Amino acid sequence: MSEPAATGNGRREVTVSDVAVAAGVSKATAARALGDYGAVSDAVRDRVLGAADRLGYRPNALARTMSTGRSNTLGIVVGDIENPFFAQATRGAADVAAAAGFDLILSNSDEDLETEAKAIGVQLAKRVDGLLVASASSVETENLRSVVDAGRPLVLFDRTAQGVEVDSVIAANRSGARELTSLLVDAGHRRVAFISTMTHPTDFDRSAVVATSSVAERIEGFLDALTAGGIEHPERHVHLNARREGVERMATRLLTGPEAVTAIVASDSLIALGVFRAARELGLQIPRDLSLVAFDDADWTGVATPGITVMAQPIHEIGAEAAELLIRRVRGDGRPPVTRVLKQHLVERQSVAPPASPG
Amino acid sequence: MSEPAATGNGRREVTVSDVAVAAGVSKATAARALGDYGAVSDAVRDRVLGAADRLGYRPNALARTMSTGRSNTLGIVVGDIENPFFAQATRGAADVAAAAGFDLILSNSDEDLETEAKAIGVQLAKRVDGLLVASASSVETENLRSVVDAGRPLVLFDRTAQGVEVDSVIAANRSGARELTSLLVDAGHRRVAFISTMTHPTDFDRSAVVATSSVAERIEGFLDALTAGGIEHPERHVHLNARREGVERMATRLLTGPEAVTAIVASDSLIALGVFRAARELGLQIPRDLSLVAFDDADWTGVATPGITVMAQPIHEIGAEAAELLIRRVRGDGRPPVTRVLKQHLVERQSVAPPASPG
DNA sequence: GGTTATGTTGAGACCGGTCTCAACCCGTTT
DNA sequence: AAACGGGTTGAGACCGGTCTCAACATAACC
């Protein structure tokens, strides 16, 4: 290779040194003019900027990062960017980041710990200034610890993590779930199912440690409401692992047979969609034959017939707030970690009614 | 400052040199063992890896990029990650990228040329190996040229660009729009509106150059169908700038008065949602009072009542295919640029019927 | 035994910026 | 005229990797 350093197509990048030579000044001076720091006389600045323009100089942000130690890049690890929840949260974070001069490196974890670990590893290797993570597990926290150990600011969103002392931004899931479920209990439902896609090694029981804190909180709220309604063994109404079985299949199973439920709490809008489809497939009318409530005010919940009653979350804000906290940390804020809990709010539509035959 | 180089919290990063000293070998040898290149004896490798592990060594991908010129990072510029179309395409691209060892830096352009320019500038500065762009304009292409001029591989998705010789992955929008619109014309509709949020300086006329090629193609297909149906001045049925007026407001305007349309083609699912809501607000029944068709098989189109007939696009594939082409370029493929055109397919539901009063 | 091939190692340049420090210029002060 | 001070400039180290090249050891060959 005789060429000094070439890009894919063989063109060499224009560097500060090139500009310096063209402008007849030292590299240091050219760098000052181009990087807009230190003192440079007006005449020289003009000459340098002119030369840079003529040569088509493009700064190399990586080289700058090498010497300053700041990359102006944040990492964000979400479950799945196709999930509207994460898309919205990411947008919220991206807006705040962009306004502060930061970029976002995006990774999908598919809610899998190993994938998440790999993603975090790469992000750290790329020297992101900080990391936003909706961790796949709030219990197994080695992934998160590795970030803290690496000395990188970390902010959790949507989910907290046990024993990891960092900022988090979450929603008030327990009270939201309680309120949502109470709607059903108060309407007279006794056989109410809670459905989540969250993977869990066993069936749910009271002692089970549910990995995703947001789901765990929702389950608690759900149980609160059932207990308050005097329903025995409320924990047997919690159904996890819906992804493995398939949401529609699980819903179909729960909606048929002698023990069929009369109401369902869907842990997110994607699950609710599956339930909705299953109900339609079975010829069940909502809310006459089935009452359905869910988390997240997704598009379709407002236009479906009937409209679905949902617990709306300030998703955009969750992402934005998390990014704000993270940027503050990156800038050196040393205050003790905070957990911001944002309010959810109920959007009542027409998917709740008393059960047809008292259960 | 007495510390050599510190992260935010003052901890110094462990480098190859540190590991080398700990293992009692030269920096070069340690680097070979850690970077898994060149020749290293097994004994030495073990010693180095052991030392690295003990010290908690984390490679610095940026430093590697500096010397190799490869960042293993791709840039992706979308209109808005919250838009399900872009979220899906991004996911498709992210999967392919991850499988090939690449990360994604994400930017939102908000369909604005200046924002897009800034995003592309930053991505280039961060030395992405290549760029995926759904360009805000297929006509004003300086943004895209800057990428080509910088010698970075570029792949366009969803939209092409005039005079920019790069790979593109798009859908067969014209024929799709023609088929979709024909459904309406064949059902007897004469007053059919096409609605897009795309910004355009004037009202649409035949000579207008519509900035976004995918929308332009859809308009052509729409006009094809109206013309084939013998409808005069079809171009006056094209309505742009819906974002400025508000989709629901525009739909309301078009659906009322003596000249009210009896059918609408929505350029994407978000617009269709606005139209759907406006129709409901006006007390119009679909398909009795209004026939509605749209692009993209969004969640809600299947569960709304009635189901909306849509032209589905292979969105995931668009993103995946684009990423594949890009990675191929990054790896040095020098073949002439290709344009991949993916098929759309019709999903017929219940939102089309003959007009109530022949128009 | 000398030469050649092969494998392993170390020294040091290099990528493209930033940053420290010393040198210098010129006007002002004493 | 000497000393001082602010504004500019240049030389060169540095960030943390990769990579070339030379040195050296050992094995294989004639």
Side-chain angles (χ1 to χ4, degrees), chain A residues 7 9 11 13 58-63 65-66 71-73 80-82 87-88 90-91 94 103-108 110 122 124-127 146 148-152 273 276-277 280 299-300 302-305 316, chain B residues 7 9 11 13 58-63 65-66 71-73 80-82 87-88 90-91 94 103-108 110 122 124-127 146 148-152 273 276-277 280 299-300 302-305 316:
Chain A
T7 64
N9 66 4
R11 211 175 334 338
E13 306 274 349
R58 284 187 170 281
N60 183 329
L62 268 43
T65 298
M66 284 294 295
S71 65
N72 285 311
T73 306
D80 174 10
I81 191 64
E82 263 187 78
Q88 263 180 274
T90 300
R91 180 68 213 243
D103 271 289
L104 239 43
I105 298 188
L106 170 77
S107 300
N108 300 108
D110 285 326
V122 176
L124 289 177
K126 294 203 170 151
R127 293 301 190 264
S146 74
V148 176
D149 290 350
R152 299 279 150 187
L273 190 62
F276 188 93
R277 287 186 174 135
R280 196 171 52 182
D299 283 348
W300 71 271
V303 296
T305 308
H316 208 270
Chain B
T7 64
N9 66 3
R11 210 171 344 332
E13 307 274 350
R58 285 187 168 282
N60 183 329
L62 269 42
T65 298
M66 284 293 295
S71 64
N72 285 312
T73 306
D80 174 11
I81 191 65
E82 262 187 79
Q88 262 179 275
T90 299
R91 181 67 213 244
D103 271 289
L104 238 42
I105 297 188
L106 170 77
S107 301
N108 299 109
D110 285 325
V122 176
L124 288 177
K126 293 201 171 152
R127 294 300 189 264
S146 75
V148 176
D149 291 349
R152 298 280 151 189
L273 189 63
F276 188 94
R277 286 184 174 136
R280 196 171 51 181
D299 282 348
W300 71 270
V303 296
T305 309
H316 207 270

Side-chain angles (χ1 to χ4, degrees), chain B residues 15 23 182 231:
Chain B
T15 72
S182 295
I231 294 172

Side-chain angles (χ1 to χ4, degrees), chain A residues 207-226:
Chain A
S207 68
V209 178
V210 172
T212 308
S213 72
S214 51
V215 174
E217 291 283 308
R218 286 172 194 177
I219 292 174
E220 288 305 321
F222 171 77
L223 297 177
D224 288 348
L226 292 203

Side-chain angles (χ1 to χ4, degrees), chain A residues 120-139:
Chain A
I120 288 177
V122 176
Q123 309 251 30
L124 289 177
K126 294 203 170 151
R127 293 301 190 264
V128 293
D129 288 334
L131 221 41
L132 293 166
V133 180
S135 181
S137 174
S138 305
V139 184

Side-chain angles (χ1 to χ4, degrees), chain A:
Chain A
M1 250 194 266
S2 56
E3 293 295 305
T7 64
N9 66 4
R11 211 175 334 338
R12 186 186 173 286
E13 306 274 349
V14 179
T15 72
V16 170
S17 297
D18 299 331
V19 175
V21 171
V25 298
S26 74
K27 179 184 162 193
T29 299
R32 275 187 282 257
L34 293 169
D36 202 30
Y37 62 90
V40 193
S41 67
D42 291 348
V44 169
R45 186 193 328 279
D46 289 351
R47 228 165 58 224
V48 172
L49 262 38
D53 204 49
R54 205 156 0 96
L55 268 50
Y57 169 74
R58 284 187 170 281
N60 183 329
L62 268 43
R64 173 177 298 138
T65 298
M66 284 294 295
S67 45
T68 62
R70 294 274 317 270
S71 65
N72 285 311
T73 306
L74 304 179
I76 181 165
V77 181
V78 301
D80 174 10
I81 191 64
E82 263 187 78
N83 180 325
F85 176 86
F86 288 120
Q88 263 180 274
T90 300
R91 180 68 213 243
D95 286 348
V96 169
F102 286 84
D103 271 289
L104 239 43
I105 298 188
L106 170 77
S107 300
N108 300 108
S109 73
D110 285 326
E111 305 291 2
D112 173 69
L113 270 177
E114 256 182 73
T115 311
E116 179 182 287
K118 213 180 292 178
I120 288 177
V122 176
Q123 309 251 30
L124 289 177
K126 294 203 170 151
R127 293 301 190 264
V128 293
D129 288 334
L131 221 41
L132 293 166
V133 180
S135 181
S137 174
S138 305
V139 184
E140 299 188 43
T141 56
E142 326 83 51
N143 289 349
L144 306 177
R145 301 210 156 281
S146 74
V147 178
V148 176
D149 290 350
R152 299 279 150 187
L154 167 68
V155 173
L156 304 177
F157 68 97
D158 185 49
R159 304 149 191 200
T160 55
Q162 290 170 8
V164 183
E165 303 273 309
V166 298
D167 296 328
S168 335
V169 180
I170 56 173
N173 282 302
R174 183 167 186 167
S175 59
R178 195 184 301 131
E179 189 180 350
L180 205 47
T181 310
S182 295
L183 245 41
L184 304 172
V185 175
D186 293 350
H189 293 274
R190 311 291 295 170
R191 293 199 305 275
V192 183
F194 178 97
I195 302 184
S196 165
T197 38
M198 220 208 55
T199 3
H200 193 71
T202 63
D203 280 348
F204 181 80
D205 67 89
R206 198 79 203 210
S207 68
V209 178
V210 172
T212 308
S213 72
S214 51
V215 174
E217 291 283 308
R218 286 172 194 177
I219 292 174
E220 288 305 321
F222 171 77
L223 297 177
D224 288 348
L226 292 203
T227 304
I231 295 172
E232 306 267 303
H233 300 302
E235 60 277 6
R236 68 201 165 85
H237 292 107
V238 175
H239 301 271
L240 307 177
N241 296 312
R243 184 160 16 232
R244 198 174 49 198
E245 179 176 358
V247 174
E248 294 188 43
R249 204 186 312 268
M250 177 181 276
T252 303
R253 176 165 60 81
L254 294 173
L255 287 169
T256 50
E259 286 289 296
V261 303
T262 61
I264 288 178
V265 179
S267 189
D268 68 44
S269 67
L270 261 31
I271 295 167
L273 190 62
V275 173
F276 188 93
R277 287 186 174 135
R280 196 171 52 182
E281 206 61 37
L282 291 168
L284 298 177
Q285 294 257 347
I286 298 175
R288 198 195 58 192
D289 308 317
L290 167 68
S291 287
L292 173 63
V293 297
F295 283 85
D296 294 339
D297 189 15
D299 283 348
W300 71 271
T301 59
V303 296
T305 308
I308 309 297
T309 293
V310 298
M311 189 54 72
Q313 305 195 77
I315 307 179
H316 208 270
E317 283 75 8
I318 290 177
E321 186 96 26
E324 239 158 57
L325 286 174
L326 182 57
I327 290 169
R328 201 174 298 174
R329 291 291 173 196
V330 168
R331 296 205 169 133
D333 181 355
R335 281 176 286 189
V338 300
T339 297
R340 295 268 167 84
V341 183
L342 305 185
K343 285 211 184 73
Q344 305 187 330
H345 76 273
L346 187 68
V347 180
E348 285 207 76
R349 293 200 262 250
Q350 303 84 37
S351 62
V352 177
S357 54

